Amino acid sequence: MNNNMAMYLGLFWGIVDIALCQGHFSRNRLYVKAFERGDEVFPVVVNTWPFTNATKTAWNVLNNGGSALDAVEQGCKQCEIDQCDGTVGFGGSPDENGETTLDAMIMDGVTHDVGSVADLRRIKDAISVARSVMEHSSHTLIAGESATNYAIEMGFKEESLSTNHSKKIWEDWKNKNCQPNYRRNVSPDANKSCGPYKPTKSLRAATHKNKEPRFSKDISITNHDTIGMVVVDGNGNLAGGTSTNGANHKVPGRVGDSPIAGAGAYVDNDVGGAAATGDGDVMMRFLPSYQAVESMRQGMDPTSAAQDAIKRIIRFYPQFSGALVAITKSGSYGAACHGFGTFHYSVRNRNMQNVTVEEVPCMTL
């Protein structure tokens, strides 16, 4: 064999070796990808509280090929129709004037688009109006009477949100001298009177922790507050949303955490999502849903991420009551709470035959 022939043979076998190596690594990449896919458990629906009808509705949307956004909208809408425990939808939580108003938001994890409505009046379909804001305007949040006008323009029906039940709640509250209420540092004494009020000078000294008790709606198994929902659909895309009628006997115009992106809910297709429930006036100051997602981005599991977000709140508000559900883009989920004793939330994924209500013990100081 001459030198030229040896050179050509060497080059030939070198090319073969390279091809084999490339094929080997390609097969390994395919194997790794398949393994990663095997760890994924979606589609999945997770929402706060045992609002199982909402979970089922969202799951049915996914089961019929719907998107995460469709599932969140329809799931939260089911709670609005069912008036979930009187704290979602029409006919509950009248404000100081006896009027029921609604807050809602929806967020797309793919685009980070958000639509929200706050202090929405005389329109029952709050979550659908929020989606309309996202899809038919360049805005994120529309509030108050203007939100109602927007909804009417978009074809939503205007009707009273009051019921005999909500009227009775308000009348009973008025007959008890408007007790309890959210006013403080006012005259006449808000603990004894319905007002009208004027401000008085506050003598409270600044401290690291707010130890004075906060007015609580006694959020419990019979009085739940917001539905917050996070969904991963069959394509691995995320969406999140919330709907609530807010705090009972709230000061008119009050808006809580629910319609605020990062507070009531937050989703990121690269990471996961989270949703909150509880004392919204405190929660919105810490953006706990956003914080939980960012903690998962740094490698925390969903439960640890939810716990970390709540710890940041109770450092300043040890009397705080609230909870978070969190989920990764691969479908693993968890929850954490403080101030409830235990917290129940609803889940459905492709490994479950039916909706499951899970319980988590709340953190203690």
Side-chain angles (χ1 to χ4, degrees):
M1 182 183 298
N2 60 35
N3 290 338
N4 286 338
M5 181 63 70
M7 181 181 69
Y8 288 132
L9 284 173
L11 180 61
F12 170 78
W13 287 114
I15 293 171
V16 170
D17 285 342
I18 290 171
L20 287 172
C21 286
Q22 288 179 336
H24 170 71
F25 287 123
S26 176
R27 285 192 297 273
N28 277 350
R29 282 196 295 270
L30 290 172
Y31 173 78
V32 169
K33 184 62 176 175
F35 179 80
E36 289 173 350
R37 294 288 296 183
D39 279 353
E40 294 171 348
V41 185
F42 57 74
V44 58
V45 179
V46 179
N47 59 264
T48 56
W49 305 111
F51 296 151
T52 55
N53 283 348
T55 321
K56 291 174 184 176
T57 297
W59 180 258
N60 289 337
V61 170
L62 297 177
N63 213 30
N64 290 318
S67 69
L69 280 171
D70 295 332
V72 166
E73 179 186 5
Q74 294 305 314
C76 290
K77 185 174 183 177
Q78 186 65 55
C79 235
E80 293 171 349
I81 294 169
D82 292 346
Q83 300 169 275
C84 285
D85 287 311
T87 57
V88 179
F90 69 101
S93 299
D95 64 17
E96 287 184 344
N97 295 330
E99 184 176 13
T100 296
T101 61
L102 308 179
D103 299 337
M105 71 154 286
I106 192 166
M107 181 172 184
D108 186 344
V110 180
T111 63
H112 283 219
D113 288 341
V114 176
S116 301
V117 286
D119 191 28
L120 178 68
R121 305 168 184 180
R122 303 186 306 282
I123 303 291
K124 289 184 177 180
D125 306 311
I127 188 69
S128 294
V129 179
R131 186 168 183 179
S132 177
V133 171
M134 182 177 71
E135 295 184 341
H136 299 294
S137 81
S138 298
H139 299 311
T140 294
L141 172 63
I142 302 179
E145 198 67 33
S146 295
T148 302
N149 293 336
Y150 170 85
I152 294 169
E153 285 181 353
M154 293 295 104
F156 291 91
K157 181 181 178 181
E158 183 178 12
E159 55 190 317
S160 174
L161 301 183
S162 295
T163 62
N164 290 335
H165 175 67
S166 66
K167 291 175 182 176
K168 181 67 164 54
I169 293 173
W170 181 70
E171 289 168 358
D172 289 345
W173 179 72
K174 293 285 285 187
N175 290 335
K176 295 177 182 176
N177 292 323
C178 303
Q179 300 305 307
N181 65 46
Y182 289 94
R183 304 281 185 164
R184 67 182 185 184
N185 304 320
V186 294
S187 178
D189 187 347
N191 293 318
K192 301 176 181 178
S193 171
C194 291
Y197 306 105
K198 293 182 180 180
T200 60
K201 185 177 180 180
S202 173
L203 300 177
R204 188 183 69 165
T207 61
H208 175 64
K209 290 186 178 182
N210 292 272
K211 295 183 178 180
E212 63 183 53
R214 292 178 54 78
F215 168 51
S216 171
K217 294 197 308 174
D218 186 27
I219 302 167
S220 66
I221 195 66
T222 59
N223 190 352
H224 287 161
D225 203 4
T226 308
I227 181 171
M229 178 177 285
V230 184
V231 170
V232 186
D233 65 23
N235 294 318
N237 293 324
L238 281 102
T242 65
S243 185
T244 184
N245 53 37
N248 209 1
H249 314 312
K250 61 192 173 187
V251 176
R254 177 264 188 186
V255 176
D257 67 309
S258 298
I260 308 302
Y266 192 80
V267 287
D268 186 321
N269 238 46
D270 293 335
V271 182
T277 183
D279 188 342
D281 289 288
V282 169
M283 297 189 93
M284 68 192 299
R285 302 169 192 177
F286 294 86
L287 300 179
S289 295
Y290 175 80
Q291 180 59 55
V293 172
E294 288 306 299
S295 292
M296 289 190 291
R297 192 190 305 275
Q298 300 303 317
M300 282 191 187
D301 62 86
T303 297
S304 298
Q307 289 174 340
D308 178 69
I310 289 177
K311 286 177 183 177
R312 294 166 185 261
I313 299 174
I314 59 178
R315 178 183 172 213
F316 293 92
Y317 295 91
Q319 305 298 321
F320 162 77
S321 294
L324 282 170
V325 294
I327 184 171
T328 67
K329 65 178 182 179
S330 62
S332 63
Y333 59 87
C337 60
H338 182 266
F340 296 150
T342 60
F343 170 61
H344 295 78
Y345 63 103
S346 305
V347 185
R348 177 71 196 272
N349 65 29
R350 61 181 171 85
N351 290 340
M352 299 174 178
Q353 293 298 315
N354 295 294
V355 174
T356 299
V357 175
E358 304 214 3
E359 180 180 8
V360 59
C362 288
M363 301 162 55
T364 57
L365 292 176

